[in-house]
Amino acid sequence: MGEVTMGKGHEILQFTNHVIQGRWFSLFTSFLIMAGAGATYLFGTYSKEIKASLEYDQTTLNLLGFFKDLGANVGVCSGLLAEITPTWFVLLVGAAMNFTGYFMIWLSVVGKVPKPKVWLMCMYICLGANSQNFANTGALVTSVRNFPESRGNMIGLLKGFTGLSGAIMTQLYLAVYGNDAKSLILLIAWLPAAISVIFVYTIREMRVVKQPNQLRIFYYCLVIAIVLALFLMVMTLVEKAIQFSHAAYVGTATMACALLFLPLLVFVREELGVFRRKNLPIDPLQVVVVLEKEDKSITSEIKKEDGNNSKCFWFNDIFFNKPARGEDYSILQALLSTDMLILFVATFCGLGTSLTAVDNLGQIGESLGYPTTTIKSFVSLLSIWNFFGRIFSGFVSETLLVKYKFPRTLMMTLVLLLSCIGLLLIAFPFPGSVYVASVIIGFSFGAQLPLLFSIISELFGLKYYSTLFNCGQLASPLGSYILNVKVTGPLYDREALKDLAKKGLTRSSVKELTCIGNQCYRHAFIILASVAFFGALASLILVARTRNFYKGDIYKKFRKQAEAEMASTNNNRIH
């Protein structure tokens, strides 16, 4: 009896070890890290505390917001670091940056350190915001390499959890600290860092193994993520309408965490099947057949490499003798390619206009005469549809690509055209149009990043993906700065000055420059819609350039690698 109990205990221990070291647990911990990597979305919640505690004016607060966006979108350092160091080191660096940046902000806000200079606060928030790129690089890039045949689904889910991060952390801070926005900064400092440190060794690249029910598992995760998003949206709206007790906040936070951990049950069940199959007898004849196919494919690949291994000058390698699309480009080959230039233009136009709309949504509602509670509803709508956009672009583009060879680049074009409609609804408003615009802009904004990251991985390979996907989003802050600071802001101020002139007032006679009326954002958003349309045209050029590539089987080599790995594993078991 004792031996049976010990045998079962040993088997449970083996299974636990199998789960923790498996791809699915690595994916689950990636979900958790990404769910803590969206602190930048909470800036609007705690920025008032910074402004009041440090006695900043609105211009200084906007400067902090710019450095927050700059840090959040410039992730080249994390990408380059990931090329030369292991994933655990990248995650630890990110955790240290996150804690240092936000903890120093918290110390400054609660007065535990002398009031810092403005430039130092800018550095703190830039450092804290930049840490999310290290989490992105460590978790997202590793997961894509572990599940290369499902990268669209993978990126959609991971970025979707990042989109929900702000709402999840809001529920947690209400449960732990109560309605204290200063303590939210402290939570942002320690919680994401703690998650990265705890799970740092579980996120690593692993052998790609072919699993026939893989897509079904991702759809289970999709359903769970959607339920979590809907729960958070309902709770956000209810908490604004009803005064919650602390116990009620604890209950909602517990429910949110339970839904967040629910994918672990799905993954444990899957790993149990894999664990049992590993102990089943196998057919040696089947392994021999698979190994023969593997040997033939390897031989043919070697011949190809020998044929293509001609020596040429470095300049020719960069500009002329580039690999075929889908193969591994070097960093310079990718960055100096026409395809990347077109993606840069499309990202500048698409994400630049979307970020500008998002940053001005509150003032848009104010200029059109909506009450404060309604404006908050616009922000909630935009956030939840941002999540649905990320999920939709990941899963739907993957399904259309696999089943119908529908190019992901064409999906990008359609999303940018949809964005034009949302921007025009703000330029030419009618009663209730901002509700529709919030949904459209939130959805198209969310859809763009998963598409961009997937397209980069497909066109330029996965070898230097950690650097390339971070470079791909560099156009986003550039577009936001030019279109927001240099175009939308001055045009809004011009309309506001016209209003003052009609009232016989001057700029010096009012403290805050405010514009009320349909005309406030009309010219700016006509320009933004035109820029987004230009981005759609640029994306359409990329559709034409990559048409033949997407007609082929872009995941063929990954399936071969998975089959070869399975054959090798089975062969080892025979011997």
Side-chain angles (χ1 to χ4, degrees), residues 30 324 416:
S30 296
L416 290 174

Side-chain angles (χ1 to χ4, degrees), residues 535-556:
L537 294 179
S539 179
L540 200 57
I541 295 172
L542 191 61
V543 173
R545 288 176 57 86
T546 59
R547 181 180 56 188
N548 291 331
F549 169 70
Y550 278 107
K551 281 183 179 178
D553 187 354
I554 65 173
Y555 293 155
K556 183 178 179 181

Side-chain angles (χ1 to χ4, degrees), residues 68-300:
K68 179 261 301 177
D69 291 336
L70 183 68
N73 289 283
V74 179
V76 178
C77 293
S78 64
L80 291 173
L81 185 67
E83 303 291 355
I84 58 175
T85 62
T87 304
W88 62 263
F89 184 76
V90 175
L91 291 172
L92 287 180
V93 170
M97 291 172 61
N98 181 90
F99 182 78
T100 302
Y102 287 112
F103 189 65
M104 291 306 300
I105 293 173
W106 177 75
L107 290 176
S108 304
V109 168
V110 297
K112 293 186 179 295
V113 295
K115 180 180 176 181
K117 302 279 188 183
V118 173
W119 68 266
L120 194 56
M121 283 293 289
C122 290
M123 292 302 102
Y124 289 156
I125 200 163
C126 187
L127 182 70
N130 192 248
S131 69
Q132 77 178 43
N133 293 299
F134 288 78
N136 268 326
T137 301
L140 189 145
V141 173
T142 304
S143 297
V144 169
R145 286 173 175 166
N146 287 341
F147 297 89
E149 291 183 65
S150 303
R151 66 190 68 179
N153 302 332
M154 181 68 52
I155 294 173
L157 277 171
L158 289 168
K159 297 305 291 181
F161 277 108
T162 304
L164 295 177
S165 175
I168 293 170
M169 297 217 310
T170 297
Q171 295 300 322
L172 289 174
Y173 109 83
L174 289 171
V176 177
Y177 297 108
N179 198 2
D180 177 13
K182 290 180 181 178
S183 297
L184 175 60
I185 304 173
L186 180 61
L187 183 75
I188 292 170
W190 70 261
L191 182 60
I195 294 172
S196 290
V197 171
I198 291 170
F199 296 111
V200 67
Y201 289 114
T202 64
I203 298 179
R204 63 194 187 282
E205 286 187 40
M206 302 179 197
R207 297 175 299 181
V208 178
V209 179
K210 188 174 183 179
Q211 292 178 245
N213 61 335
Q214 186 167 289
L215 184 60
R216 185 181 51 162
I217 299 169
F218 285 132
Y219 275 104
Y220 285 151
C221 294
L222 171 63
V223 171
I224 293 169
I226 291 174
V227 172
L228 175 60
L230 293 174
F231 172 77
L232 290 170
M233 181 179 68
V234 170
M235 286 299 102
T236 300
L237 296 175
V238 170
E239 286 166 2
K240 288 176 181 176
I242 302 173
Q243 186 69 36
F244 268 41
S245 65
H246 185 259
Y249 283 133
V250 171
T252 57
T254 303
M255 185 64 186
C257 289
L259 289 170
L260 183 61
F261 275 76
L262 197 54
L264 181 59
L265 297 180
V266 178
F267 295 158
V268 168
R269 179 185 173 187
E270 174 60 22
E271 289 289 9
L272 181 60
V274 174
F275 182 73
R276 285 172 175 171
R277 286 194 296 271
K278 283 177 68 175
N279 298 318
L280 291 176
I282 59 172
D283 182 3
L285 183 60
Q286 183 182 0
V287 176
V288 171
V289 172
V290 175
L291 284 174
E292 286 178 354
K293 289 181 180 179
E294 176 194 352
D295 290 339
K296 288 178 182 178
S297 64
I298 292 173
T299 304
S300 63

Side-chain angles (χ1 to χ4, degrees), residues 45 58 60 107 116 142 153 157 184 199 222 259 328 373 390 396 400 430 436 456 461 479 484 494 508 520:
T45 304
Q58 190 62 37
T60 305
L107 290 176
T142 304
N153 302 332
L157 277 171
L184 175 60
F199 296 111
L222 171 63
L259 289 170
D328 291 326
T373 53
R390 294 176 183 217
V396 174
L400 293 176
F430 54 84
V436 183
I456 289 175
N484 195 5
R494 188 180 72 178
S508 58
C520 297

